[in-house]
């Protein structure tokens, strides 16, 4: 067994891939539709991540309440970065805040893309339960019949979507595979969803679309929806930020001050946020033209679930925090005004006493 063959087998036996494949197979058997099975799997994954979303939001809110103390630490140890870090870590531990939850959430969402890709690329193994060895034998049958290009043979155990199409469309290959004991009749999947073949890859080249418009035109809706459902959550995340209005006002003031001083305002976090907002959708739309449409469906449903999760977290935690913060700011402002007014009255009384003393 060569290095590539060993790598392929190890991927096929990956526990997470197998687990996701088993869950998807369960949903497929229950609903009887491949697209609905992908949707159900995506919803399940996103629901399981909701507690982590809540933990991340709580941690963010707690971090915001500690900004004053963090500023005091920076003023106390201006030239000792290590001491600053130690005190910051201690402060966050005492208040139960952690930036790791947000990082973990992002890492998990990226990490889960790989097993999903393995499932949509190799449904014969993960959903049908056909072994890698038997998949290769079926691939050889299709190749000998001139129905499968040689370039697909080396990777057919992992990417067997073309083989499923052949088994569905060519009764002779299907019969030979069944007679050879490589597959059972009930193991052949129907990969259609709402009139779209989810095993097909969306195309952007006009000549290819024109060659088979009935097949490729409907597929264009997948990259379009991928783009929309990837941009909206990012924009919504900024909009639902409890400090959105305050940050917007700060930016406006910074722009005016920068214009007066002849300098441009610099905000690394803002620049990074803008980069992510525009880069990720571009990356997704590019990859959606190079993967089976089922992968795009996963991203679309994931984006919708992301929007729903953001709204749940906002109304449960972020909005109450924003209301409480506004109340505290109003109380602080009223207190400062009353003190200012009181000091003004005291100054007036002192001035009167001084004038009376001079008259005497």
């Amino acid at each position: 067994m060569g290095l590539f063959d060993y790598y392929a087998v190890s991927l096929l036996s990956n526990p997470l891939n197998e687990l996701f494949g088993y869950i998807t197979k369960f949903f497929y058997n229950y609903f009887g539709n491949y697209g609905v099975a992908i949707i159900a799997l995506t919803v399940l994954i996103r629901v399981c991540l909701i507690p982590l979303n809540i933990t991340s939001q709580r941690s963010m809110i707690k971090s915001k309440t500690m900004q004053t103390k963090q500023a005091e630490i920076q003023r106390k140890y201006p030239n000792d970065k290590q001491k600053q870090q130690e005190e910051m870590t201690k402060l966050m531990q005492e208040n139960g805040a952690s930036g790791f939850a947000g990082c973990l959430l992002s890492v998990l969402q990226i990490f889960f893309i790989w097993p999903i890709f393995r499932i949509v690329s190799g449904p014969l193994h993960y959903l049908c339960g056909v072994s890698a060895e038997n998949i290769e034998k079926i691939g050889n049958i299709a190749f000998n019949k001139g129905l499968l290009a040689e370039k697909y043979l080396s990777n057919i155990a992992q990417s067997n979507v073309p083989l499923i199409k052949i088994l569905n469309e060519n009764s002779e290959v299907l019969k030979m595979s069944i007679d050879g004991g490589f597959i059972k009749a009930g193991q052949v999947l129907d990969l259609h969803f709402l009139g779209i073949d989810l095993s097909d890859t969306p195309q952007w080249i006009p000549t290819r679309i024109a060659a088979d418009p009935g097949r490729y035109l409907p597929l264009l809706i997948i990259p379009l929806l991928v783009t929309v459902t990837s941009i909206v959550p990012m924009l919504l995340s900024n909009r639902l930020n409890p400090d959105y209005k305050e940050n917007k006002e700060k930016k406006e003031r910074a722009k005016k001050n920068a214009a007066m001083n002849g300098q441009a305002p610099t905000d690394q976090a803002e620049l990074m946020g803008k980069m992510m907002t525009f880069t990720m959708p571009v990356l997704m739309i590019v990859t959606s033209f190079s993967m089976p449409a089922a992968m795009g469906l996963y991203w679309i449903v994931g984006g919708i679930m992301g929007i729903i999760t953001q709204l749940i977290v906002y109304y449960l935690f972020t909005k109450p925090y924003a209301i409480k913060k506004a109340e505290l700011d109003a109380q602080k402002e009223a207190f400062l005004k009353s003190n200012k007014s009181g000091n003004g009255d005291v100054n007036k009384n002192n001035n009167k006493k001084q004038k009376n003393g001079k008259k005497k």
Side-chain angles (χ1 to χ4, degrees):
M1 181 181 289
L3 180 62
F4 180 82
D5 294 328
Y6 176 81
Y7 183 64
V9 171
S10 66
L11 282 177
L12 288 172
S13 60
N14 184 289
L16 190 60
N17 297 352
E18 296 288 351
L19 174 62
F20 278 34
Y22 176 81
I23 295 172
T24 310
K25 182 180 179 181
F26 170 80
F27 285 135
Y28 178 80
N29 292 335
Y30 184 80
F31 294 109
N33 186 281
Y34 180 59
V36 177
I38 294 293
I39 292 172
L41 174 68
T42 310
V43 171
L44 177 63
I45 292 172
R46 291 290 180 159
V47 168
C48 291
L49 290 177
I50 286 178
L52 195 55
N53 273 279
I54 292 173
T55 302
S56 176
Q57 187 68 7
R58 279 177 171 173
S59 181
M60 185 193 76
I61 291 173
K62 287 180 179 178
S63 296
K64 287 182 180 296
T65 60
M66 296 184 297
Q67 287 179 348
T68 303
K69 293 182 179 179
Q70 289 173 340
E72 290 177 1
I73 291 173
Q74 291 174 340
R75 285 194 297 269
K76 190 175 181 181
Y77 307 101
N79 301 319
D80 193 342
K81 298 297 181 183
Q82 183 177 352
K83 187 64 176 178
Q84 278 187 25
Q85 187 62 38
E86 290 175 0
E87 293 296 322
M88 292 284 191
T89 303
K90 183 179 177 182
L91 179 65
M92 294 184 76
Q93 288 176 348
E94 289 175 351
N95 290 272
S98 173
F100 180 68
C103 296
L104 179 61
L105 180 63
S106 301
V107 169
L108 283 177
Q109 289 177 347
I110 295 172
F111 184 70
F112 286 159
I113 290 176
W114 181 251
I116 298 296
F117 176 64
R118 293 265 53 90
I119 291 168
V120 301
S121 299
L124 266 181
H125 174 75
Y126 293 107
L127 272 70
C128 302
V130 182
S131 67
E133 183 181 358
N134 285 343
I135 292 172
E136 290 174 356
K137 290 178 180 178
I138 298 171
N140 286 325
I141 293 173
F143 173 71
N144 292 332
K145 292 291 182 182
L147 300 172
L148 187 69
E150 186 177 1
K151 64 180 181 181
Y152 293 117
L153 283 178
S154 61
N155 199 34
I156 197 66
Q158 296 180 72
S159 301
N160 44 68
V161 168
L163 207 54
I164 293 178
K165 296 178 74 67
I166 293 171
L167 289 171
N168 279 312
E169 296 172 1
N170 193 288
S171 58
E172 185 180 1
V173 174
L174 177 60
K175 184 178 184 303
M176 291 178 68
S177 301
I178 294 173
D179 292 343
F182 308 137
I183 192 172
K184 297 177 182 178
Q187 289 180 306
V188 182
L189 293 172
D190 179 9
L191 302 181
H192 286 81
F193 175 67
L194 298 179
I196 297 176
D197 189 345
L198 294 178
S199 66
D200 281 333
T201 300
Q203 300 293 326
W204 61 272
I205 301 176
T207 53
R208 291 186 182 179
I209 298 173
D212 195 350
R215 177 183 178 183
Y216 290 117
L217 276 178
L219 284 172
L220 290 176
I221 193 68
I222 297 292
L224 177 62
L225 291 178
V226 166
T227 305
V228 172
T229 54
S230 61
I231 291 176
V232 172
M234 293 182 182
L235 297 178
L236 191 62
S237 177
N238 293 330
R239 189 74 182 182
L240 297 182
N241 190 320
D243 297 326
Y244 173 77
K245 291 183 178 179
E246 183 179 345
N247 291 337
K248 189 175 180 181
E249 291 174 357
K250 285 181 179 179
K251 290 175 187 176
E252 292 297 327
R253 288 197 298 269
K255 286 180 181 179
K256 291 178 181 178
N257 292 335
M260 291 173 64
N261 298 328
Q263 299 174 350
T266 57
D267 189 341
Q268 293 297 328
E270 179 187 357
L271 293 175
M272 185 62 69
K274 287 182 178 180
M275 187 181 297
M276 289 294 292
T277 300
F278 293 103
T279 302
M280 286 304 294
V282 171
L283 178 62
M284 285 186 174
I285 193 170
V286 169
T287 54
S288 67
F289 280 110
S290 59
M291 296 181 180
M295 192 70 198
L297 180 63
Y298 167 76
W299 278 330
I300 292 167
V301 179
I304 294 171
M305 286 299 297
I307 294 170
I308 295 172
T309 301
Q310 284 183 343
L311 292 174
I312 291 173
V313 171
Y314 173 75
Y315 284 107
L316 285 179
F317 299 100
T318 310
K319 189 175 181 180
Y321 163 77
I323 293 173
K324 186 67 177 177
K325 182 176 180 295
E327 291 176 354
L328 291 174
D329 289 344
Q331 291 175 4
K332 183 179 178 180
E333 187 177 352
F335 176 75
L336 292 174
K337 284 183 178 179
S338 64
N339 277 354
K340 187 176 181 181
S341 175
N343 290 334
D345 292 340
V346 170
N347 291 332
K348 286 180 181 179
N349 292 331
N350 289 335
N351 290 333
K352 286 182 179 179
K353 288 179 180 180
Q354 289 176 359
K355 288 179 180 179
N356 292 332
K358 288 179 180 180
K359 288 179 180 180
K360 290 179 180 180

